[in-house]
Amino acid sequence: MFGNVSVPTTHHRQAGVADDIDFEIKGEELQFVEIELDPGESAIAEAGGMVWKDSSVGMTTVFGDGSGQQKGFMGALLGAGKRLISGESLFTTVFTHNGQGKARVAFSAPVPGSIIPLKLSDVGGRLICQKDSFLAAAKGVSLGIAFQRKVMTGLFGGEGFIMQKLEGDGWVFVQFGGAVIERTLAPGEQLHIDTGCVAAFTDTVDFDLVQAGGVKSMLFGGEGVFFAQLTGPGKVWIQSLPFSRLAGRVLAAASGAGPNRGEGSVLGGLGDLIGGNN
């Protein structure tokens, strides 16, 4: 997915499934995705992510996730509430091609990194990813939230506690910081990752926390108190530069403080205190 990437699709749209869009990812460190729409096709995106669009592509702001799957006002309200809990806007923008021929609309990632295209039908129909990872998708994809069910994970999982849940069978475009590594875990295979660097995983993967070594390592190692432990089977995507780490370094440089170590590991100032940063 690095550099200039063109991923054409040749499938035909079927009733009751997400719009089968074509797209092209361009750029290197600062990427953007161009989505090509046939007449009547739509893409959904977070507010503020659009770069440009053809004039025949209309914009509509809707309450909720824009998937069109919510029924009635209460369904839309529930969808909007889920987005609010995960830190997203109550509204989603739907881009629909209202003209003839082909039309394009482009969306950009807000931070340096990679835009990863994923066909949800190829990953079991559901993807769990970090908050703020969703950039755009074919209309018909549902956006929700995923809570970590284990108490310790909820208390100390930091960014991994409340995550985004993307469901459906269509294309989604997720944005991750820095370089991205994809790992396929066999049944029972485990991987330890800084919690902020867990970009996404399929819902067959078990997410838990493990202690990061002994007391000395926790106090002076700079990697926080816990690692995320992901257990297969399933796929895992790892990002090298989570937004929290980038923001922490910028704030530390602006304030004249030292580098903030283990930014994604523990909630708030508690993590700095235990990690030896304060």
Side-chain angles (χ1 to χ4, degrees), residues 218-225 261 269-278:
M218 290 190 296
L219 291 177
F220 303 108
E223 299 299 337
V225 180
R261 298 168 295 173
L270 178 62
D272 291 333
L273 179 63
I274 297 177
N277 295 324
N278 287 328

Side-chain angles (χ1 to χ4, degrees), residues 141-159:
V141 170
S142 175
L143 316 178
I145 57 174
F147 288 103
Q148 298 304 332
R149 296 182 294 272
K150 299 178 181 178
V151 174
M152 288 297 291
T153 307
L155 289 175
F156 299 104
E159 295 171 53

Side-chain angles (χ1 to χ4, degrees), residues 75-97:
L77 184 62
L78 180 61
K82 291 179 179 179
R83 289 172 51 75
L84 186 62
I85 291 174
S86 64
E88 307 297 336
S89 169
L90 288 172
F91 299 90
T92 304
T93 306
V94 180
F95 298 83
T96 304
H97 180 18

